[in-house]
Each structure stands twice: as structure tokens, then as C-alpha cells.
Amino acid sequence: MKLGILGLPQAGKTTIFNALTRGDKPVGGARQVGRFEVQTAVVPVPDERVDKLSAIFKPRKTIYARVDYADIAGLEAGADGAADKSGFSGPLLNQLTTMDGFLHVVRAFENPTVPHSAGSVNPARDLGAVDGELLLNDLLAVERKLERLGEDGRKGIIKDKGMHAQELALFTKLKDALAADQPLRTVELSAAEEKIIASHQLLTRKPMLVVFNIGDEDSVPVPAQVAPGAQAVKLQGKLEMELAQLPPADAQLFMQEYGIQELGLNRVIQISYDLLGLQSFFTVGEDEVRAWTTRRGASAPEAAGEIHTDLREGFIRAEVYSYADLMEFGGVTELKAKGRFRLEGKDYTVQDGDILNIRFSPPAKK
Ligand SMILES: Nc1nc2c(ncn2[C@@H]2O[C@H](COP(=O)(O)OP(=O)(O)OP(=O)(O)O)[C@@H](O)[C@H]2O)c(=O)[nH]1
Ligand SMILES: [Mg+2]
């Protein structure tokens, strides 16, 4: 799973990327116009259930769920409300479409040494500018698709009439939503429709967490509402980055001194994980205890596929019990005695906290 960090120039994207990934990429660097860069880093998702499972099974290895964060530079279009209606550049759009969701960093800090290109700090305006860009790009993509569908109709080169009609209706519905400034994540779609648009990677269909990057004083008002279907948090980006870069003992001292309870970045990692519709399941054994990530609502074979494609393709059944039952009954033998150990088939919807063992038939050797 990969989350793209986007936002206007100098909003604090790299600062927050550094905080989340405990990295030290240069911030505030002179931007080279037209230069396009993506930095990525893998971040373990803090999860005390993994710690407890590890204490029980004493595996050789313990592995947390991971989320990739990508610091995407180059979101220039519309940065100052310029009426550029051509959408994102090809390379930028390509990057954005590969993301599973976005952290949208919005500047809400005052800093006289970092002038804002629009002359003032205004989170509501900046949020709207980027939301508008994302909507515009989807609108362009949907219009192109509708044009192609129309052309195919005129040329009479339709392979599947039913599908053609379905696509026409679907993309018209998407276009209407976008034209009314509604991000596509708010549009209700049937499973069949989901399947059709899956390959189109529309940007406003992807989950989004807005991160207001506030200064020490939290003096800049931020909008109470963000785009429908998105959520927002406040984070002191610069402080969090500095704390993340300190040796843990020093960070602890600092936090005590200033009465900081918990690192904001742990919260953001966790919230982004939840908001992006992700959940964890576990595999346990003496070799390793490991958390894996799926979207909520994933079927057992889909979850198996996170571990290995062979497990999805050869999926027979999943042995399932829940983390909560393990804690309640104290052991696998005990929960089996209570009938809480189940065999589930391919239609089973995996729940957050499930502990799985996949039975599968290995693929025939080629
Ligand atoms: N005072 C203050 N300054 C900040 C904060 N966050 C970022 N800055 C400063 O703002 C400048 C830009 O921060 P970056 O993290 O490089 O912003 P960016 O969005 O990655 O910028 P580009 O990649 O160039 O678009 C740097 O000089 C930071 O030190 C903050 O919370 N408070
Ligand atoms: Mg940057």
C-alpha cells in the first residue's frame, strides 16, 4: 500500500515525509522548476497486537504492517489559482495514479522566511486549489473516456453492447458528479461499476487524509470541513520532524518537558491506515509473527494474495480465529474448545484482527 504525499509547493510535504519516515531529506530546498521527483520510504505501522502476539508465539521474526509513503514534488498546476485547464503533467499524473491514497499537506504555519507564492497563508484557499486540480484531472479523464465510447458507437465497433451501454451510463454519472464539484469517492457504485472503473485509477476516488501543517502557535484558522469523504488532522510538521530525528531517549525527555503525550506522527500513521480503508490480519508461528494489510471488505483469497499470489491462486480454505478470542481464551487449544476456530471458504470477508492460516494447493511446476 502506497500513500502519496501531495500539496502545494512549500506546504511542508518533505517535512512531514521526514517526520513519518524518520528521514532527513532536505527541506526548503530551492526548487528547480519543472524538476519532478518522488522519494519513497517504508513505515512500520505501530500495533500493540503484534507486540502481544510476538510475546505469545516467540517467533524468530516480528514484522509490522507497512505503509509506503511517497513524497511527490511538482504539484505546480493551479498553485496560485492560475487558470490552467490542461491538468497535471504526464509524469506527475502517472505517479499519482499508482498511489492507493493521498495525504494532502496544507500549509497552516506562519513563517516569514518561507513566503507563500500567493502572498498569504490561507489553508482554505490552498485546500480548494488542490482539490480543484484533482477534480479537473478526473473530469478530463472521464471526458476522454466518454469521447472514446461515443466514437466507438459512431464507428459501430462495439464488441459488447451491454458493456458499452453500462460504461456510457457509468461515466456519464461520474462526469455529472465531477461537474458538480463532487469527488468521486462520494459516488455510490455497484460492485460491477467498481470493477469497470478500477483500471482507470481516478484520483478523487482514492481515499484522502488532509494534514493541516500547523506552526507552534496553531494561530492560523483551518477550515472545519474538508472535501466530502475526506478527513482532516492537524500536525505540527516541523516539531514532529525534529522529534523524529532525535535519539529516542532525547525525544522522550523533550516530550516530558513540554507535556507532549504522544507523537502526532504515530497518530497520523494510524489514522491514515484506518481512513484509507485498510485493516490488518496476522499470520503467526514460531518462524514469524506478521501483520499484513488488506482493504476492509477483502475476501479470504484476496488476503491470501497479499502473502503470495500462489496462495490466492491455489486457495482452498482459510483457518481463522480472531486476535480478540485468543486474548480472551488464552490459547489456541482453549479457543478451539470453545468452537472459535473456523474453516472459511473463498467468500469469507476477512475481519480486522483475524489470524489466518491459508490452505492452498501449490501451483503445478512448469
Ligand atoms: N515554521 C514552520 N516552518 C515550516 C513548517 N513546516 C515546514 N516549514 C518550512 O517550510 C519550508 C518548506 O518545507 P518543505 O517540507 O520543504 O515543503 P515542501 O512542501 O516539501 O516543499 P517543496 O517540495 O519545495 O514543494 C521549509 O523551510 C520548512 O522548514 C512548520 O510547521 N513550521
Ligand atoms: Mg519537498
Side-chain angles (χ1 to χ4, degrees):
M1 292 288 168
K2 201 166 179 185
L3 305 185
I5 300 176
L6 55 75
L8 295 184
Q10 302 285 288
K13 300 179 294 295
T14 304
T15 301
I16 285 177
F17 175 80
N18 282 343
L20 292 169
T21 63
R22 296 176 188 273
D24 56 1
K25 296 284 184 278
V27 299
R31 293 172 56 83
Q32 277 176 275
V33 177
R35 166 120 167 261
F36 177 68
E37 267 188 356
V38 183
Q39 308 268 12
T40 58
V42 179
V43 176
V45 180
D47 187 343
E48 70 159 9
R49 295 172 300 179
V50 177
D51 303 326
K52 295 220 168 115
L53 289 172
S54 200
I56 295 174
F57 292 94
K58 305 196 170 42
R60 280 185 280 276
K61 272 184 299 186
T62 300
I63 303 176
Y64 294 84
R66 305 161 194 211
V67 176
D68 283 18
Y69 286 95
D71 179 10
I72 307 171
L75 207 68
E76 299 276 14
D80 40 20
D84 175 331
K85 291 287 171 229
S86 58
F88 295 137
S89 71
L92 175 57
L93 192 57
N94 284 343
Q95 277 299 326
L96 295 175
T97 54
T98 64
M99 300 295 155
D100 298 298
F102 300 116
L103 289 197
H104 175 179
V105 175
V106 179
R107 173 167 179 178
F109 63 86
E110 298 281 5
N111 184 342
T113 64
V114 184
H116 194 296
S117 64
S120 62
V121 177
N122 182 338
R125 174 201 62 209
D126 291 356
L127 180 63
V130 173
D131 278 345
E133 283 299 321
L134 296 169
L135 281 164
L136 172 65
N137 275 272
D138 279 355
L139 185 61
L140 292 171
V142 165
E143 280 175 344
R144 273 196 305 274
K145 174 74 180 176
L146 280 169
E147 254 168 52
R148 273 199 305 277
L149 287 169
E151 241 170 64
D152 290 353
R154 279 192 301 281
K155 289 186 190 152
I157 47 170
I158 300 165
K159 272 192 233 120
D160 179 341
K161 272 211 173 127
M163 179 54 96
H164 187 265
Q166 215 182 339
E167 288 196 334
L168 211 54
L170 170 59
F171 283 93
T172 305
K173 174 161 83 176
L174 299 182
K175 187 183 160 183
D176 291 346
L178 291 164
D181 279 344
Q182 291 294 314
L184 296 179
R185 70 181 81 83
T186 63
V187 180
E188 293 235 12
L189 297 180
S190 68
E193 289 176 323
E194 286 276 13
K195 215 168 153 189
I196 295 174
I197 69 158
S199 63
H200 288 80
Q201 297 289 354
L202 295 161
L203 302 178
T204 65
R205 186 76 186 159
K206 296 175 191 282
M208 184 163 80
L209 175 61
V210 176
V211 180
F212 290 111
N213 183 17
I214 60 174
D216 298 342
E217 329 72 25
D218 193 4
S219 56
V220 178
V222 301
Q225 289 224 316
V226 295
Q231 298 218 28
V233 290
K234 286 186 190 178
L235 191 73
Q236 282 174 277
K238 194 150 175 269
L239 174 71
E240 294 281 339
M241 178 182 90
E242 286 163 0
L243 283 174
Q245 290 170 343
L246 285 178
D250 295 359
Q252 206 69 49
L253 270 179
F254 184 96
M255 286 170 68
Q256 263 164 23
E257 199 155 315
Y258 287 87
I260 303 168
Q261 302 282 327
E262 198 207 346
L263 275 183
L265 67 95
N266 283 343
R267 205 166 34 93
V268 170
I269 293 169
Q270 226 130 35
I271 295 175
S272 56
Y273 196 73
D274 293 344
L275 284 182
L276 296 168
L278 306 177
Q279 64 176 9
S280 295
F281 70 92
F282 309 108
T283 53
V284 298
E286 52 188 39
D287 195 40
E288 75 175 26
V289 161
R290 182 162 183 168
W292 302 86
T293 303
T294 62
R295 58 176 190 94
R296 282 197 286 272
S299 67
E302 224 178 306
E306 292 295 332
I307 304 172
H308 199 283
T309 36
D310 286 353
L311 271 64
R312 185 184 66 232
E313 284 163 13
F315 181 90
I316 301 171
R317 252 188 280 288
E319 298 171 0
V320 186
Y321 57 95
S322 74
Y323 171 83
D325 282 349
L326 180 65
M327 291 298 134
E328 185 177 345
F329 299 112
V332 179
T333 320
E334 290 81 355
L335 67 87
K336 271 186 176 161
K338 299 279 180 192
R340 308 307 289 249
F341 187 95
R342 293 141 22 222
L343 276 181
E344 300 282 3
K346 64 178 170 43
D347 293 332
Y348 176 66
T349 302
V350 172
Q351 305 294 312
D352 186 52
D354 274 354
I355 299 171
L356 299 185
N357 182 39
I358 308 295
R359 293 187 189 172
F360 72 110
S361 54
K365 288 235 162 65
K366 276 170 207 150

